[in-house]
Amino acid sequence: MRRPAIAGEALGSFLLFATVIGSGIMAERLAGGNVAVALLGNTLATGAILFVLVTMLGPVSGAHLNPAVTLVMRLRGHIGTGSAAAYVCAQLAGGILGVWAAHAMFAAPIFELSEKARNGPGQWLGEAVATFGLVLTILGTAKVRPDSIPASVALYITAAYWFTSSTSFANPAITVARSLSDSFAGIAPACVPAFVAAQIAGALAAHIVSDILFSDIPKEAA
Amino acid sequence: MRRPAIAGEALGSFLLFATVIGSGIMAERLAGGNVAVALLGNTLATGAILFVLVTMLGPVSGAHLNPAVTLVMRLRGHIGTGSAAAYVCAQLAGGILGVWAAHAMFAAPIFELSEKARNGPGQWLGEAVATFGLVLTILGTAKVRPDSIPASVALYITAAYWFTSSTSFANPAITVARSLSDSFAGIAPACVPAFVAAQIAGALAAHIVSDILFSDIPKEAA
Amino acid sequence: MRRPAIAGEALGSFLLFATVIGSGIMAERLAGGNVAVALLGNTLATGAILFVLVTMLGPVSGAHLNPAVTLVMRLRGHIGTGSAAAYVCAQLAGGILGVWAAHAMFAAPIFELSEKARNGPGQWLGEAVATFGLVLTILGTAKVRPDSIPASVALYITAAYWFTSSTSFANPAITVARSLSDSFAGIAPACVPAFVAAQIAGALAAHIVSDILFSDIPKEAA
Amino acid sequence: MRRPAIAGEALGSFLLFATVIGSGIMAERLAGGNVAVALLGNTLATGAILFVLVTMLGPVSGAHLNPAVTLVMRLRGHIGTGSAAAYVCAQLAGGILGVWAAHAMFAAPIFELSEKARNGPGQWLGEAVATFGLVLTILGTAKVRPDSIPASVALYITAAYWFTSSTSFANPAITVARSLSDSFAGIAPACVPAFVAAQIAGALAAHIVSDILFSDIPKEAA
């Protein structure tokens, strides 16, 4: 278990979650009620920081920043159980600090709970599809063109913010962290378990499907 | 006929068409009546997912995701007749499932027909120009700088959503699939045949013009 | 004088100018009077098609698509006088056809003259600065990191649409062609000569300044 | 102390600061009061020009364009004290000329002082976080994937415009220069010292943290 890798997961989650929450607050405050305009700002910021973090932290920790990704990497044997547990703790701790830092930056109450209900079969299907696509993108791109992982992850989430009804959380840690923010990107705590279950189902499906699609292809075939 | 290639075309079309329809529904619901804002969201999502899919599926199936592309690749001898037919079936089947998945995610009726009329010589010219440019981009970029194909395809469609009056379907399979969605990105079934004819005309023109422009250039001259 | 190069300049200008005019019409029609939203759509489309065209046509013709660029390349001895003249004719002919194609696609009158006045010292300074920056970007990037030319040209124009009061025509051929369109991107014919003079002044300044900045640097130093 | 490097810092700061101020004026004038739409235009232009300038000027001067970056490079021994001082002077002089050029292009009064108050602990924390992230991005990306520095710097600032309450000045020179513009991107002179102090604190923190995160990693490990 390398210390810089754990630090990388914590710091990366801090910056990622601060961006998701902070840009959501900024966007909602400035958008004058046009939610699509607010979502454009939120999307642009999230996609941009993902490129930066995955580029910079990829060689440090793999830049998971997401327990669903860490789970699949554990299942595929790329990371040990102890390291995986430490990764998830770092993601949650760093990420929640990021949410609170965003609140502090925007002079909002630090500690709060979201009251934004997000539920129903449509949103659960959305989370499953979103996480399936994210994990498939990571596994497939790593196989065929690893240099494109930062751009592909950033652009996948950019698309998924718009094509799923839930705006693609696709990450159990960010789902928990967002429940601690009563803002644009929040989710009521009671809605968290179903989101996380759908995300794990989608991630496991991608773990299986990627073997069908990519097993024939020699590494860096592109 | 390789199975992973067929699966790649089906899955890629599923994700692409789900993105086109889903982001159109999201954008229209949130945009408060400003259609340009809605089109910005729809464009951003479509361009982003195209980069992801073409990067990841290029080495699997060539990432056609479009019968007009498959037709030109057949004419140029890059794919056999049987494989081409299987590709088109996979694009249609996967893509239509993607449309229905988008409906399910947004809690819209799964099965519907579009009532959005899209016709007239301007829009038909638009589809011909759009598909001409798309196929030329694929053939030319493949010759001079193949590493840029994902970015060029994504950015070509990003531009074409705005510079053609039809918002550039440029894809017979997506034209059929969009007729099954009464949403932002839909097209009335009666308008489909003329769109598809214009798309095929544009694709064939690019097939010819690309030989004039690019035949002198050694491979990877860039 | 290679025929594919002339054809490349004509076809590239056709697609570029059709995009500038077409996306301007689309954006203005849909934006509900919010000019910043319209300019976002116009910018996104223009930047995107520039990446595509410079990538694809760079090895064919150098992808000038702009008489100010052709003039500087002639002064630097990268192209002969006869070829330069043919390039400029191809840019104008292809580009004007592109404007008319955009009109046809949007069911607007094909032949018209712009009535949009664009003048005053601020806009002339804007055109000089915009063209200075564009030509400096081309010359500098070609020296230090030629693979980045398509992205740098596309992103330079993306920025310049916003940081100059004239929205950066930065191209004498497109200035003439835009005078033939009474739409969002148009310019009244009487305003054309001053714009073109400012563009040539900016291009010549970049020709000189680039030697100061980049002469010490070995090729592909990046 | 190489002359082209000093010229590069001056010219780069001129274009960068002209873009920040100019696109802010353009965006505010056109956005019809929707501040989120204005910030989208301002963000797009700033991110785009940063990619262009860092690509082109990286091999000339390192493309600091920012005294906080120059300070950290001095602390790390990558630049001498005399050169660092000359860099900062060039950044300030070139950048302030860029602000005045933007005013001239938009026919605004050349010389003015901003009246826009920007203060409070939230914004100071924002500046510290923003500059911390910027400097960490530069140091980390330079270590693991130097080819991605232009894209990462551009996208980091794109995100930071949205996730910090201060819209991320993250640059002492631009903070001073913006105090000379009573426009969208301005800051009242009295608010400058606290912003600069927060920026320096963030930069120093990144200088330290980068050694923890990246010291184990072999150069170009990505």
Side-chain angles (χ1 to χ4, degrees):
Chain A
M1 204 183 310
R2 293 167 46 250
R3 269 159 196 272
I6 309 300
E9 288 295 306
L11 184 70
S13 300
F14 175 88
L15 286 170
L16 175 60
F17 294 17
T19 298
V20 170
I21 296 294
S23 67
I25 296 173
M26 175 72 101
E28 191 170 42
R29 286 193 186 169
L30 301 186
N34 189 315
V35 188
V37 167
L39 188 58
L40 281 173
N42 193 212
T43 304
L44 194 63
T46 305
I49 205 73
L50 274 169
F51 178 90
V52 172
L53 296 174
V54 176
T55 297
M56 176 166 67
L57 298 175
V60 175
S61 70
H64 297 185
L65 313 178
N66 186 340
V69 174
T70 300
L71 170 66
V72 169
M73 293 304 169
R74 176 69 201 82
L75 292 175
R76 302 179 85 79
H78 298 326
I79 189 175
T81 305
S83 289
Y87 265 46
V88 172
C89 294
Q91 291 155 5
L92 276 166
I96 289 172
L97 283 173
V99 170
W100 291 339
H103 291 169
M105 289 193 282
F106 285 92
I110 304 293
F111 304 106
E112 52 187 19
L113 292 177
S114 174
E115 298 188 358
K116 187 177 277 192
R118 299 187 188 254
N119 49 40
Q123 300 214 19
W124 300 330
L125 176 62
E127 283 303 304
V129 170
T131 316
F132 168 80
L134 174 63
V135 173
L136 192 75
T137 295
I138 293 169
L139 297 175
T141 310
K143 184 99 186 248
V144 302
R145 211 189 262 200
D147 279 357
S148 294
I149 291 179
S152 284
V153 167
L155 291 171
Y156 177 79
I157 292 296
T158 295
Y161 263 38
W162 287 85
F163 82 72
T164 63
S165 50
S166 58
T167 69
S168 283
F169 288 45
N171 180 336
I174 218 172
T175 307
V176 171
R178 284 179 173 204
S179 73
L180 303 176
S181 184
D182 196 22
S183 65
F184 186 70
I187 177 172
C191 303
V192 167
F195 264 49
V196 170
Q199 291 159 4
I200 290 172
L204 295 177
H207 168 53
I208 294 160
V209 169
S210 76
D211 288 333
I212 299 170
L213 278 177
F214 300 107
S215 57
D216 272 9
I217 295 170
K219 243 198 154 190
E220 290 194 53
Chain B
M1 202 182 313
R2 292 167 47 251
R3 269 157 196 274
I6 309 299
E9 288 295 306
L11 183 70
S13 300
F14 175 88
L15 286 170
L16 175 60
F17 295 17
T19 299
V20 170
I21 296 294
S23 67
I25 295 172
M26 175 72 101
E28 191 171 42
R29 285 193 186 168
L30 301 186
N34 189 315
V35 187
V37 167
L39 189 58
L40 280 173
N42 193 212
T43 304
L44 194 63
T46 306
I49 205 72
L50 273 169
F51 178 90
V52 173
L53 295 174
V54 176
T55 296
M56 176 166 67
L57 298 175
V60 174
S61 70
H64 297 183
L65 314 178
N66 185 341
V69 174
T70 301
L71 169 67
V72 170
M73 293 304 170
R74 177 67 202 83
L75 291 175
R76 301 179 85 80
H78 298 325
I79 188 175
T81 305
S83 289
Y87 266 45
V88 172
C89 294
Q91 291 156 4
L92 277 166
I96 289 172
L97 282 174
V99 171
W100 292 339
H103 292 168
M105 288 194 283
F106 285 93
I110 304 293
F111 304 106
E112 52 189 19
L113 291 177
S114 175
E115 298 189 358
K116 187 178 276 192
R118 298 187 189 252
N119 49 40
Q123 300 213 20
W124 300 329
L125 176 64
E127 282 304 304
V129 169
T131 316
F132 168 80
L134 174 63
V135 173
L136 192 75
T137 296
I138 293 168
L139 296 176
T141 310
K143 185 98 185 249
V144 302
R145 211 189 262 200
D147 278 357
S148 294
I149 292 179
S152 284
V153 167
L155 290 171
Y156 176 79
I157 292 296
T158 295
Y161 262 39
W162 287 85
F163 80 73
T164 63
S165 49
S166 58
T167 68
S168 284
F169 288 46
N171 180 335
I174 218 171
T175 307
V176 170
R178 284 179 174 206
S179 73
L180 303 177
S181 184
D182 196 23
S183 67
F184 186 70
I187 178 173
C191 304
V192 167
F195 263 50
V196 170
Q199 291 160 3
I200 290 172
L204 294 177
H207 169 53
I208 294 162
V209 168
S210 76
D211 288 334
I212 299 171
L213 278 177
F214 299 107
S215 58
D216 273 9
I217 295 170
K219 245 201 152 186
E220 291 195 52
Chain C
M1 204 183 310
R2 292 167 47 249
R3 268 157 197 273
I6 308 300
E9 287 295 306
L11 183 70
S13 301
F14 174 89
L15 286 169
L16 175 59
F17 295 18
T19 298
V20 171
I21 296 294
S23 67
I25 295 173
M26 175 73 101
E28 192 171 42
R29 285 193 185 167
L30 301 187
N34 189 316
V35 187
V37 167
L39 189 58
L40 280 173
N42 193 212
T43 303
L44 193 64
T46 306
I49 205 73
L50 274 169
F51 178 89
V52 172
L53 295 174
V54 176
T55 297
M56 175 166 68
L57 298 175
V60 174
S61 71
H64 297 184
L65 313 178
N66 184 341
V69 174
T70 300
L71 169 66
V72 170
M73 292 305 170
R74 176 67 200 83
L75 291 175
R76 301 179 85 81
H78 298 325
I79 189 176
T81 305
S83 289
Y87 266 46
V88 173
C89 293
Q91 290 155 5
L92 277 166
I96 290 172
L97 282 174
V99 171
W100 291 340
H103 291 169
M105 287 194 283
F106 284 94
I110 305 292
F111 304 108
E112 53 187 19
L113 291 177
S114 175
E115 298 189 358
K116 187 177 278 192
R118 297 188 190 254
N119 49 42
Q123 299 214 18
W124 300 330
L125 176 63
E127 283 303 306
V129 170
T131 316
F132 168 80
L134 174 63
V135 172
L136 192 75
T137 296
I138 294 168
L139 296 176
T141 311
K143 185 100 185 248
V144 303
R145 210 190 263 201
D147 278 358
S148 294
I149 292 179
S152 285
V153 166
L155 290 171
Y156 177 80
I157 292 296
T158 295
Y161 262 39
W162 287 85
F163 82 73
T164 64
S165 49
S166 58
T167 68
S168 282
F169 288 46
N171 179 335
I174 218 170
T175 308
V176 170
R178 284 179 174 208
S179 73
L180 303 176
S181 184
D182 196 21
S183 66
F184 185 70
I187 177 173
C191 304
V192 168
F195 263 49
V196 170
Q199 291 159 4
I200 290 173
L204 295 177
H207 169 52
I208 293 162
V209 169
S210 76
D211 288 334
I212 299 171
L213 279 176
F214 300 106
S215 57
D216 272 9
I217 295 169
K219 246 200 152 190
E220 291 193 53
Chain D
M1 203 183 311
R2 292 167 47 250
R3 268 160 196 272
I6 309 300
E9 287 295 306
L11 184 69
S13 300
F14 175 89
L15 286 170
L16 175 60
F17 294 18
T19 299
V20 170
I21 296 293
S23 67
I25 296 173
M26 175 71 102
E28 192 171 41
R29 285 193 186 168
L30 301 186
N34 189 316
V35 188
V37 167
L39 189 58
L40 281 174
N42 194 212
T43 303
L44 193 64
T46 305
I49 205 73
L50 274 169
F51 178 89
V52 172
L53 295 174
V54 176
T55 297
M56 176 167 66
L57 298 174
V60 174
S61 70
H64 298 185
L65 313 178
N66 185 340
V69 174
T70 300
L71 170 66
V72 170
M73 292 305 169
R74 176 67 201 83
L75 291 175
R76 301 178 86 79
H78 297 326
I79 188 175
T81 305
S83 288
Y87 266 45
V88 173
C89 293
Q91 290 156 5
L92 277 165
I96 290 173
L97 282 173
V99 171
W100 291 340
H103 292 168
M105 287 193 284
F106 285 93
I110 304 293
F111 305 106
E112 52 187 20
L113 291 177
S114 175
E115 298 188 359
K116 186 177 278 192
R118 298 188 189 253
N119 50 40
Q123 300 213 19
W124 300 330
L125 176 63
E127 283 303 305
V129 170
T131 316
F132 168 80
L134 174 63
V135 173
L136 192 76
T137 296
I138 293 169
L139 297 176
T141 310
K143 185 100 186 248
V144 303
R145 210 189 263 201
D147 279 358
S148 294
I149 292 179
S152 284
V153 167
L155 290 171
Y156 177 79
I157 292 295
T158 295
Y161 262 38
W162 286 84
F163 82 72
T164 64
S165 50
S166 58
T167 68
S168 283
F169 289 46
N171 180 335
I174 218 170
T175 307
V176 170
R178 284 179 173 205
S179 74
L180 303 176
S181 184
D182 196 21
S183 66
F184 185 71
I187 177 173
C191 304
V192 168
F195 263 50
V196 170
Q199 291 159 4
I200 290 172
L204 294 177
H207 168 54
I208 294 161
V209 169
S210 75
D211 288 333
I212 299 170
L213 278 177
F214 300 107
S215 57
D216 272 8
I217 296 169
K219 246 200 151 188
E220 291 195 52

